[in-house]
């Protein structure tokens, strides 16, 4: 979840790295660990837990401030930190998990829960809830259920986001397009045409590789990207989706993929190659930083004028199953998701705060973050939010393949037929593991 972990692979400048969770630097490496999760103790009863996440340097600065608050409240618990760029984080985590030495507590995403649960890496936090060390009360919009898998609490949501259409507001105004809740894919197609014809710009940056958008489209039509144990759609379904995307590029409705690749890490929207782009709502900060225009959040198009298929995604905090300090891990997570001062420090860096107490504690004053809060509130008011589809073991590999193969198709190195066949081949292998 990126929830979160997903769009997080779409590299951008430092500002999106702040929101998405990648980093250009590695710092604060954790201390040498013991065999069981790296927790350590001392003669005076002080214990040390290791905490790892993916994120940029400004995220690290914020997190270190929250850790200082935590250690002040819990003077007998010390926290050693480690952060990496997104891809490097998971490479390192895989190595640590294989060696029986992952961090005691770490940032996590929905696509990895079943994977690491199957490998006996994740701590079921339910026992710590029962013991009173972790509260799952006070979460917004059903987010307390987000990290539950097969009756086990494997992650606690720390920041929510949802898919949105980020638009260049002046471009949409010049084109005479005003997206509203309940607009349809036909309305969207018409909008893309108006933007191209009236402004000389592609309507969208190219939606073919956004797995979580395709998931919403499938959910609108009674399916889903994933079932609990595999893919929830057919080769024919994906062929239809990617064929429409290919036609959009050829007709100029979607941005030229070669030009999009050339201007990376800048986005096609902020580089003025396109009038809009589907991504996570809390990424809006990226466009304001990169571009010269004014950007806004528009609703997801629908199939029937009602159902968007949306849910609140979230980054999570998880614990290591064999940590020597499960109580302290639970107390740490509890503090990070409930303490109001943490919200004031973190802001919307990891998404909108998941608990009502933290949501109320941080009320943004800048236009961009105010718009993010308003957007998520509008989803709640519209009643469109649903529960996320469970992700099977191997979902992270499927997501990476979807993004890579879609780009290859967009660049012309694969036909739609070849791209679909390759994706299903790779996915079947990943999901069989």
């Amino acid at each position: 979840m990126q929830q979160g972990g997903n769009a997080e692979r779409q590299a951008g400048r430092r500002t999106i790295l702040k929101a998405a969770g990648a980093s250009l630097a590695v710092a604060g490496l954790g201390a040498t660990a013991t065999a069981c999760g790296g927790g350590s103790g001392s003669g005076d009863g002080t214990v040390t837990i290791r905490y790892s996440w993916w994120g940029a340097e400004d995220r690290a600065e914020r997190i270190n401030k929250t850790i200082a608050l935590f250690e002040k409240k819990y003077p007998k618990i010390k926290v050693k930190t480690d952060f990496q760029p997104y891809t490097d984080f998971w490479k390192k985590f895989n190595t640590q998990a294989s060696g029986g030495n992952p961090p005691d507590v770490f940032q996590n995403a929905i696509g990895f829960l079943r994977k690491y649960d199957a490998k006996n890496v994740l701590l079921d936090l339910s026992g710590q809830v029962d013991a009173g060390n972790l509260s799952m009360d006070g979460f917004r919009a059903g987010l307390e259920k987000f990290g539950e898998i097969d009756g086990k609490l494997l992650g606690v949501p720390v920041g929510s986001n949802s898919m949105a259409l980020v638009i260049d507001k002046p471009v949409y105004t010049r084109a005479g397009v005003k997206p509203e809740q309940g607009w349809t894919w036909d309305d969207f197609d018409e909008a893309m045409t108006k933007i191209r014809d009236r402004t000389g710009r592609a309507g969208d940056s190219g939606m073919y590789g956004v797995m979580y958008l395709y998931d919403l489209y499938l959910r609108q039509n009674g399916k889903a990207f994933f079932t609990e144990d595999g893919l929830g759609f057919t080769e024919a379904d994906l062929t239809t989706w990617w064929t429409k995307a290919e036609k959009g590029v050829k007709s100029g409705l979607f941005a030229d993929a070669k030009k999009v690749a050339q201007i990376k890490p800048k986005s096609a929207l902020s580089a003025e190659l396109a009038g809009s782009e589907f991504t996570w709502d809390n990424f809006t900060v990226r466009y304001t930083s990169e571009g010269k225009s004014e950007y806004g959040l528009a609703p997801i198009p629908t199939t029937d004028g009602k159902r968007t298929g949306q849910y609140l995604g979230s980054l999570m905090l998880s614990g290591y199953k064999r940590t020597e300090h499960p109580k302290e891990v639970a107390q740490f997570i509890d503090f990070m998701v409930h303490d109001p001062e943490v919200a004031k420090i973190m802001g919307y860096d990891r998404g909108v705060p998941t608990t009502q107490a933290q949501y109320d504690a941080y009320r943004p004053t800048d236009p961009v973050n105010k718009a993010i809060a308003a957007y998520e509130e509008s989803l709640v008011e519209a009643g469109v939010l649903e529960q996320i589809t469970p992700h099977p073991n191997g979902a992270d590999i499927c997501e990476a393949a979807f993004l890579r193969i879609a780009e290859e198709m967009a660049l012309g190195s694969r036909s739609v037929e070849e791209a679909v066949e390759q994706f299903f081949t790779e996915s079947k292998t990943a999901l069989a593991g």
Side-chain angles (χ1 to χ4, degrees):
M1 221 146 353
Q2 13 27 113
Q3 344 73 332
N6 334 338
E8 290 171 351
R9 289 185 180 80
Q10 302 169 5
R13 284 187 178 178
R14 189 170 185 271
T15 315
I16 190 174
L17 299 177
K18 164 187 170 184
S23 168
L24 298 177
V26 178
L29 296 178
T32 302
T34 60
C36 295
S40 60
S42 65
D44 65 356
T46 299
V47 301
T48 299
I49 59 174
R50 290 161 56 217
Y51 172 34
S52 297
W53 68 90
W54 64 85
E57 290 177 60
D58 46 1
R59 174 176 290 178
E61 291 169 6
R62 292 170 186 265
I63 287 178
N64 285 332
K65 289 178 182 177
T66 67
I67 288 172
L69 287 180
F70 173 78
E71 291 179 339
K72 186 175 181 180
K73 182 175 180 179
Y74 293 93
K76 293 292 186 179
I77 307 175
K78 302 300 178 186
V79 183
K80 292 291 185 182
T81 63
D82 178 12
F83 75 97
Q84 315 277 339
Y86 179 80
T87 304
D88 291 346
F89 173 90
W90 288 111
K91 287 179 182 176
K92 182 173 183 177
F93 187 85
N94 274 325
T95 301
Q96 291 173 322
S98 297
N101 188 35
D104 299 277
V105 60
F106 50 92
Q107 191 169 285
N108 206 349
I110 189 72
F112 298 92
L113 289 186
R114 286 187 187 275
K115 176 176 183 173
Y116 287 107
D117 183 41
K119 293 183 177 183
N120 290 312
V121 172
L122 301 183
L123 174 66
D124 181 359
L125 291 158
S126 301
Q128 295 301 319
V129 175
D130 294 340
N133 298 320
L134 170 62
S135 172
M136 294 304 293
D137 295 331
F139 283 81
R140 300 169 40 239
L143 280 164
E144 70 277 0
K145 300 290 185 182
F146 192 77
E148 287 187 8
I149 296 287
D150 302 329
K152 293 179 283 189
L153 180 60
L154 302 179
V156 180
V158 70
S160 73
N161 56 14
S162 192
M163 288 298 297
L165 179 65
V166 183
I167 67 171
D168 185 317
K169 292 170 76 172
V171 167
Y172 266 63
T173 299
R174 289 204 308 272
V177 176
K178 188 177 181 182
E180 295 180 342
Q181 192 75 43
W183 70 325
T184 65
W185 287 105
D186 288 340
D187 296 330
F188 174 77
D189 293 341
E190 184 179 337
M192 297 299 98
T193 302
K194 287 181 178 178
I195 292 170
R196 180 197 63 188
D197 294 347
R198 297 177 182 179
T199 72
R201 191 182 299 187
D204 189 80
S205 65
M207 50 200 261
Y208 30 79
V210 186
M211 188 199 89
Y212 282 91
L213 176 67
Y214 185 46
D215 183 35
L216 299 191
Y217 178 80
L218 289 167
R219 287 160 66 94
Q220 291 174 15
N221 290 279
K223 299 186 178 186
F225 199 98
F226 292 118
T227 64
E228 289 191 17
D229 55 6
L231 297 176
F233 60 99
T234 65
E235 292 187 27
D237 293 328
L238 184 55
T239 298
T240 300
W241 179 258
W242 274 348
T243 298
K244 184 175 181 180
E246 184 182 56
K247 289 179 180 177
V249 173
K250 289 180 177 178
S251 65
L253 296 181
F254 300 153
D256 183 329
K258 292 182 176 65
K259 292 182 180 179
V260 173
Q262 288 169 358
I263 54 93
K264 286 183 177 179
K266 198 169 188 177
S267 74
L269 176 57
S270 53
E272 300 184 359
L273 295 178
S276 53
E277 183 166 285
F278 287 99
T279 188
W280 299 101
D281 57 16
N282 64 314
F283 284 13
T284 317
V285 291
R286 168 188 191 178
Y287 306 102
T288 302
S289 172
E290 288 184 349
K292 300 175 182 177
S293 192
E294 182 184 359
Y295 306 95
L297 293 166
I300 297 294
T302 68
T303 299
D304 62 2
K306 297 177 183 177
R307 186 181 184 189
T308 66
Q310 283 173 275
Y311 42 80
L312 290 183
S314 180
L315 289 176
M316 290 175 281
L317 295 180
S318 293
Y320 175 43
K321 189 170 187 174
R322 290 186 287 277
T323 177
E324 294 179 339
H325 307 294
K327 176 182 177 181
E328 287 80 5
V329 164
Q331 289 173 324
F332 178 79
I333 295 174
D334 184 84
F335 181 84
M336 290 300 167
V337 298
H338 289 290
D339 189 272
E341 294 304 313
V342 169
K344 293 176 183 177
I345 293 170
M346 293 305 300
Y348 287 179
D349 178 85
R350 294 179 297 196
V352 178
T354 52
T355 57
Q356 194 65 44
Q358 289 196 340
Y359 182 81
D360 292 339
Y362 175 73
R363 290 290 185 173
T365 55
D366 64 290
V368 174
N369 283 308
K370 285 175 72 174
I372 295 170
Y375 179 73
E376 292 204 5
E377 287 174 358
S378 75
L379 298 180
V380 174
E381 291 168 6
V384 299
L385 292 174
E386 306 172 8
Q387 288 295 313
I388 191 171
T389 309
H391 284 43
N393 183 6
D396 57 318
I397 299 173
C398 295
E399 181 187 346
F402 191 85
L403 178 64
R404 186 189 75 253
I405 294 167
E407 184 174 41
E408 291 170 354
M409 181 201 72
L411 291 169
S413 59
R414 289 186 190 273
S415 68
V416 170
E417 183 181 0
E418 290 169 341
V420 171
E421 182 180 355
Q422 184 66 25
F423 173 74
F424 271 80
T425 297
E426 292 189 27
S427 294
K428 286 174 183 175
T429 300
L431 295 169

